[in-house]
Amino acid sequence: EVQLVESGGGLVQPGESLRLSCAASGFTFSTYAMNWVRQAPGKGLEWVSAITGSGGGTFYADSVKGRFTISRDTSKNTVYLQMNSLRADDTALYYCAKSLPGYSYGKNDYWGQGTLVTVSS
Amino acid sequence: DIVMTQTPLSLSVTPGQPASISCKSSQSLLHTDGKTYLFWYLQKPGQSPQLLIYEVSSRFSGVPDRFSGSGSGTDFTLKISRVDTEDVGVYYCMQSIHLPVTFGPGTTVDIK
């Protein structure tokens, strides 16, 4: 059974940093691209970032490019999202999502339950 | 960026009756590999999104056959042949042909 468990969310002040983690199980982690998708309170879904199975390719939404960094550790079956220079409009529930086989981004089949990031002074 | 639009934005359905949601993209989602990268998700209240349909019309594992997807190019439709009470939630279409991946605004389905 595929499981994705996010952690690392919390309340931070504008300008601060946070690192999210997503622990994966139930599939061969290194084979699949992984994504982060966020949902602001009461709003729709916004794709944030993706990383290929090998980790050699990374992709970002313009809204986070230069501030967020996605990475993965195959030995820990974990994908990370390092978030720097956080802003109020980064406040959202952050989901980790796995891609369908053979794709580098998007095309998400399984999603975690999300971790909440709140940026406020 | 590819803009995804959905109509209607809300839908109230009697159980057992059909329902239909339209999704339109600002550019064709047909890739040179022959696949069309249009996906449908359902986010039930208080839950994370779940994949219903991938590549326009393929039902994901475990999805009831009352859900079906159709369309091509820029115009797509999700149909529920007989709505069940467990189908309530927000339905999103998503495109993955070009970065950034973009979602429609969502269609809220509730039961009359």
Side-chain angles (χ1 to χ4, degrees), chain A residues 35 37 39 43-47 59-62 93 95 100 103 105-114, chain B residues 1 35 37 39 41 43 46-51 54-55 60-61 92 94 96-101 103 105:
Chain A
N35 302 256
V37 178
Q39 186 169 35
K43 303 296 184 183
L45 301 169
E46 179 189 15
W47 176 83
F59 312 92
Y60 300 93
D62 284 347
L93 186 63
Y95 293 104
L100 282 167
Y103 298 112
Y105 54 81
K107 308 164 185 73
N108 308 123
D109 50 6
Y110 292 96
W111 300 58
Q113 290 304 305
Chain B
D1 297 3
K35 296 180 181 179
Y37 291 112
F39 296 70
Y41 295 89
Q43 186 172 32
Q47 296 186 19
S48 53
Q50 57 188 80
L51 177 62
Y54 63 97
E55 294 165 15
F60 189 56
S61 174
Y92 294 96
M94 181 194 82
S96 289
I97 187 173
H98 293 304
L99 288 171
V101 173
F103 293 86

Side-chain angles (χ1 to χ4, degrees), chain B residues 6 21-23 38-41 51-53 77-78 92-93:
Chain B
Q6 290 179 231
I21 300 170
S22 171
C23 173
L38 185 281
F39 296 70
W40 288 98
Y41 295 89
L51 177 62
L52 296 175
I53 302 286
T77 302
L78 175 71
Y92 294 96
C93 59

